[in-house]
Amino acid sequence: RYFDGKTVTTYAEITDYSLPSDYGTCADGKIKLHGEWYTIRIFFQQERQFQPGDRLKAEISLRYTSFGGRKEATYHQGEGIFLLGYCDDILEHSAVKQVPGKYYAASLRHSILNRLKEIFPEDSACFAKALLLGYDEEIPFEQDFALQKSGIRHVVAVSGLHVAVLMSVLYILTRNRFKLTAIIGLPVLFLFAGVAGFTPSVVRACVMQALVIIALAVNKEYDLMTALAAAVTGMLLANPLTITSPSFQLSVGCMVGILLVSHAISQYLMDKKRIGRWDRKSFKGKIARWVAHSFAASCGAMVITIPLSAVYYGMISLTGILTNLLILWLVSVSFCGILPTKRLKGTGQ
């Protein structure tokens, strides 16, 4: 708050690759004020290229993003960014030749995004980036609005669905050897969260999945509510203002809704008087169970997320349950299909 509205000349270290902004370029970094380092998002008026590890000495106008600043609070506080900087003049720029190892996750994300751009056509590359890594900066407004209107905007925000699919692939590769899965899976989860930008939704999903892996490895019972409470507690201890993030509220609200009502809806549908009348081992029985569980999960998730969507996005999807039933299986297939994709030499495809 002390620096809100002030202009300072100080050092900054860039922690991620720069992105185009409305008026030039922006980049996340760390800024040194009174001997302490603080996370900041810096906006530059010119189009410039920065990579993790670059160091700057610059004249920067500061804005505090949380409550108590001269202007209203922004969504950045939920991401742990408490200062926005507007660079008036770069006095020194020391560019690194090689990205330091501590920024490996950012470097890997940048490499994956570039590879996806090379492999996929322009009209589908943006969706592939969003589906795999939650990078939705390039999705055209019309597509983004269509996803919101149909109630499936969550498929391009990396969350529990993506983490579950990723871990399912790992379980197959390790042949369900739980200790081996834990040895490989825990570092993979941490790296995946870093590559996805440590957004609240992916952190929540990765923490809960890590607890699943640990429980299986040590032969202990896994409790969904306890895992959710542990994930939420850890995130709020790290940054209490994460609770103001729409991503956090939607992600946790989705899980709370599933815990509260999904089981009751599933039991009601699977009653022998309804679609539970078919033998569970028969093809009809398996389809009935899948429909019942998917429908119940969608209903549970929407109990909490519909009011939140109305507040934050100004719209409610009336077709969301049906749309999710129709496409979620295809999203999983697409996610798995992107992972091994490569460009064939000499084919242009």
Side-chain angles (χ1 to χ4, degrees):
R1 292 193 186 97
Y2 171 79
F3 285 100
D4 186 38
K6 295 182 182 294
T7 299
V8 299
T9 300
T10 186
Y11 287 95
E13 181 174 331
I14 304 300
T15 58
D16 205 343
Y17 288 87
S18 55
L19 295 170
S21 66
D22 293 338
Y23 303 102
T25 304
C26 70
D28 290 346
K30 297 183 296 183
I31 187 173
K32 196 169 187 178
L33 300 171
H34 289 180
E36 298 289 342
W37 289 94
Y38 298 92
T39 303
I40 187 173
R41 178 162 294 170
I42 309 175
F43 293 88
F44 303 88
Q45 294 182 353
Q46 306 86 8
E47 292 186 5
R48 304 182 66 108
Q49 296 292 325
F50 299 104
Q51 61 181 351
D54 285 3
R55 293 181 67 90
L56 311 173
K57 183 179 181 181
E59 186 177 320
I60 303 174
S61 301
L62 301 175
R63 176 186 173 182
Y64 181 57
T65 63
S66 191
F67 306 101
R70 297 185 184 184
K71 298 181 180 179
E72 64 180 19
T74 70
Y75 71 89
H76 300 89
Q77 58 181 332
E79 299 177 353
I81 299 173
F82 294 102
L83 284 174
L84 299 182
Y86 303 92
C87 184
D88 298 322
D89 187 24
I90 297 178
L91 304 177
E92 298 176 13
H93 177 199
S94 177
V96 295
K97 294 182 179 179
Q98 186 174 0
V99 176
K102 61 182 178 180
Y103 300 124
Y104 175 72
S107 177
L108 180 59
R109 178 174 68 252
H110 186 70
S111 299
I112 294 173
L113 291 174
N114 285 337
R115 182 59 59 87
L116 292 175
K117 185 178 180 180
E118 295 174 0
I119 293 174
F120 289 93
E122 185 177 352
D123 59 345
S124 57
C126 59
F127 186 77
K129 294 176 182 179
L131 183 61
L132 188 63
L133 299 178
Y135 183 82
D136 57 5
E137 304 288 338
E138 298 177 4
I139 294 181
F141 173 79
E142 294 79 7
Q143 289 186 21
D144 192 62
F145 182 75
L147 290 170
Q148 292 184 32
K149 188 168 63 172
S150 56
I152 54 172
R153 180 61 174 77
H154 62 90
V155 302
V156 292
V158 175
S159 58
L161 173 66
H162 303 75
V163 174
V165 172
L166 180 66
M167 287 298 102
S168 296
V169 174
L170 182 60
Y171 280 120
I172 292 172
L173 294 176
T174 60
R175 298 182 180 181
N176 287 331
R177 287 177 285 184
F178 298 135
K179 291 185 178 180
L180 178 61
T181 302
I183 293 172
I184 300 174
L186 293 176
V188 167
L189 283 172
F190 182 79
L191 180 60
F192 183 69
V195 171
F198 287 113
T199 61
S201 60
V202 75
V203 171
R204 191 275 307 162
C206 285
V207 170
M208 294 184 68
Q209 188 63 53
L211 292 174
V212 171
I213 293 175
I214 293 171
L216 290 172
V218 298
N219 196 28
K220 296 293 183 180
E221 184 179 354
Y222 173 78
D223 180 69
L224 187 60
M225 182 64 81
T226 302
L228 178 61
V232 169
T233 302
M235 293 170 69
L236 293 181
L237 285 173
N239 174 20
L241 288 177
T242 298
I243 201 169
T244 65
S245 166
S247 173
F248 174 84
Q249 293 176 20
L250 288 166
S251 180
V252 175
C254 177
M255 292 303 304
V256 170
I258 290 173
L259 285 166
L260 290 177
V261 303
S262 291
H263 182 65
I265 295 174
S266 181
Q267 280 191 323
Y268 175 82
L269 293 174
M270 289 303 296
D271 189 277
K272 291 186 178 180
K273 298 178 181 178
R274 301 176 186 87
I275 62 175
R277 59 183 178 273
W278 292 296
D279 181 11
R280 287 173 174 258
K281 295 182 180 180
S282 67
F283 178 74
K284 287 184 177 180
K286 291 179 180 179
I287 293 295
R289 289 181 64 193
W290 177 82
V291 171
H293 293 326
S294 300
F295 181 80
S298 296
C299 288
M302 293 177 72
V303 166
I304 305 295
T305 57
I306 279 181
L308 291 173
S309 297
V311 171
Y312 289 118
Y313 306 118
M315 68 170 63
I316 295 174
S317 173
L318 300 178
T319 61
I321 295 178
L322 177 60
T323 312
N324 279 276
L325 283 174
L326 292 174
I327 64 95
L328 282 186
W329 66 273
L330 185 57
V331 170
S332 300
V333 172
S334 300
F335 182 88
C336 293
I338 292 173
L339 291 174
T341 303
K342 64 178 292 185
R343 188 179 183 88
L344 300 179
K345 294 182 179 180
T347 65
Q349 298 180 350

